[in-house]
Each structure stands twice: as structure tokens, then as C-alpha cells.
Amino acid sequence: MLYFVLILAGFAGTRILTPYFKDMICESGMVRKNYKEDPIPVSMGMSFLPLMLVNCAIILYFEKYEFVGTYMFAVMAMSFAGIIDDTMGNRSSSGFKGHFKALFKGKLTTGAFKALFGGLVALFASIPISTGVLDMIINTLLIALFTNFFNLMDLRPGRAIKVYFTSCAAVFPFIPNDIRLLAVGSISSVMGYFPEDIKARAMMGDAGSNVLGVSIGMLVALGLGGGAKMGALIFLVLVHLIAEKYSITKMIEGNRLLDYVDKIGR
């Protein structure tokens, strides 16, 4: 019954609120050209937050799980960092190397702020859910790198959310029931927004991709064992190393299967 309530609240609530967020963002002038040069509202990922907060409140009321507050703090803090980058960022520097190279020269980019702030959020969220120093380090890296991983994925309509759904499906069978409730509470809200993203009617921006990343990072940190965590961490490190040298989009477009899946629904 609780699963049904979370799904209904997250999906229906986000579908209802999305047009209001679009109007608010457009009226504020937060419109940016997408990869097709069409002007659309950006930072729409903030529309995930109200119903994710509602669903976490429902879980906390009925189950009293201590980690729910930590989870929601991490989600909201990472979304805040994404909103800063969406609203104030410029694209003169890109990638970890570019942002930190600028920082060493005395220039703080929004990308560097997002990386540093995101790392601190990941550390803060990891402390109460870790069993020791090594586990805390691994959890911190997982949360931080998953967050940036979804930034890398969010370059075409629907891509990051497809990867998010796939990631949730991959971890869902292996995490405890209490952690599954968190996943359902988040997935339902993202599903409510998904039609806007896949049809390129709105851009969730880092405000949204950060939410997807930190959500998966927290699920993995909370629900999986040490071996699975290390496997995920190795995967993330490899992806980030590749992304510093090559275009993820070009790699996807160069693979028939990945390109086909990437374009479904557009």
C-alpha cells in the first residue's frame, strides 16, 4: 500500500506541478537554447523536489527510518548546487581539469564550486551511513561521482533519465526494502517530469541531473555491499577518465544499439 501511495503522489503531483514550474522559470528569463538551438526553460529539475520531499515525509512518518533525512538533505543540497550552475554558470571551462585549472589560476567557476560543494555534501551525507573510515571514503566518492556522471549523461533529451531508470532497475533487486522505498519515492517524481524532457519541451539542467546522480549514489551507498560498491566506483572512475578525453555523445552515436536506445521517444 505504501508503494502505491508513493507512486501516485510522486507521479501525479509532479505532473500537476510541472506546468507551474515551466511558467515560473520562463517568466524569470531562465530560457536556454538546447542542442537543436530551440529555446526552452532550463533548471526544470527543481520540479522533482516538492514531491520527493512529500514522499520522504510519508516514509518518515510511517517507517521512521533515520537515513531518510540524510537522503533528502543530500538531494536538496546537490540540486541547489545545480541551480547555481544553471543560473550563473558559463561554459568557458569544462570538465574537472578545466574547472580546477581555472581555480588554480585564481578564478572560481560555478563548475568548480559545484564540484567542491558537491564533494562536501557527499562527505556530510556519508558520515552517518558509513561503518568506518574506508566505507565513508568509498561512499563519498560514489555519491560525488554518480552526481557528476549524470551531468555527463544530460546532453540529449531523455538520455540521463533513461540511464537513471536503468540504474534503478539494476540496483533495485539487491537493496533492502527500506531503501527501495526511497527509490520508489524518487522514481515516481522523475517519471512525472519525463515527458517534458524526452520531447525537449524543457531542460532539467544540473538542478535535475544532480538529483538523479545523488539519488542513485545514496541508494548504492545505503543498500549494496562492499564488492558491489567497489565495482560501481571503478566504473565511475573509468567513465570520468574517458569523458576527459572523448565525447560521450559521439561514442553513443557511434554505437548502433546505444544510439537507437538513446533516440527512443524523441
Side-chain angles (χ1 to χ4, degrees):
M1 183 63 181
L2 188 53
Y3 280 96
F4 176 76
V5 171
L6 295 174
I7 292 170
L8 180 62
F11 181 81
T14 302
R15 290 299 298 154
I16 291 169
L17 289 179
T18 294
Y20 293 96
F21 274 93
K22 285 182 72 174
D23 289 344
M24 178 185 73
I25 290 171
C26 288
E27 288 178 6
S28 71
M30 271 296 295
V31 176
R32 184 183 299 167
K33 291 183 178 180
N34 64 7
Y35 76 109
K36 286 185 175 181
E37 298 297 311
D38 297 325
I40 58 176
V42 71
S43 213
M44 274 292 293
M46 68 177 74
S47 65
F48 301 159
L49 297 179
L51 272 300
M52 288 180 72
L53 187 58
V54 167
N55 276 344
C56 279
I58 292 170
I59 296 169
L60 195 59
Y61 179 81
F62 285 103
E63 299 295 345
K64 304 291 190 290
Y65 295 136
E66 294 180 356
F67 51 77
V68 173
T70 301
Y71 175 84
M72 199 61 223
F73 161 79
V75 166
M76 297 183 74
M78 288 294 195
S79 187
F80 165 76
I83 292 170
I84 294 293
D85 201 28
D86 290 338
T87 56
M88 299 171 56
N90 62 62
R91 300 297 178 258
S92 59
S93 300
S94 62
F96 280 132
K97 185 187 294 184
H99 290 302
F100 282 100
K101 187 176 180 181
L103 184 62
F104 291 141
K105 291 181 178 179
K107 179 182 179 182
L108 178 64
T109 64
T110 55
F113 167 78
K114 183 176 65 176
L116 293 170
F117 182 77
L120 291 173
V121 171
L123 174 61
F124 186 91
S126 294
I127 292 172
I129 66 172
S130 301
T131 57
V133 174
L134 179 60
D135 191 42
M136 182 183 69
I137 293 171
I138 292 172
N139 288 339
T140 299
L141 291 172
L142 281 171
I143 295 168
L145 292 178
F146 262 121
T147 301
N148 196 64
F149 170 74
F150 278 88
N151 289 170
L152 299 176
M153 293 297 105
D154 188 33
L155 294 176
R156 291 293 184 271
R159 179 186 294 171
I161 296 180
K162 288 176 185 177
V163 174
Y164 176 70
F165 289 154
T166 303
S167 302
C168 287
V171 303
F172 201 83
F174 306 103
I175 57 179
N177 185 62
D178 51 356
I179 312 301
R180 288 178 183 175
L181 288 172
L182 288 179
V184 170
S186 301
I187 291 168
S188 58
S189 182
V190 177
M191 287 177 65
Y193 164 77
F194 185 52
E196 300 298 318
D197 203 83
I198 192 68
K199 295 300 183 183
R201 296 192 290 261
M203 194 184 306
M204 66 179 173
D206 287 357
S209 62
N210 278 11
V211 170
L212 305 186
V214 70
S215 173
I216 287 291
M218 288 292 291
L219 294 180
V220 171
L222 281 164
L224 296 185
K229 288 183 185 181
M230 283 303 301
L233 184 56
I234 291 170
F235 167 77
L236 289 169
V237 170
L238 289 175
V239 170
H240 280 80
L241 290 175
I242 291 169
E244 287 292 324
K245 291 190 175 184
Y246 305 101
S247 166
I248 299 294
T249 292
K250 288 182 179 179
M251 292 175 67
I252 291 172
E253 291 173 347
N255 183 289
R256 282 189 177 184
L257 177 60
L258 292 178
D259 188 49
Y260 172 78
V261 174
D262 190 42
K263 291 178 179 176
I264 291 175
R266 290 186 194 165

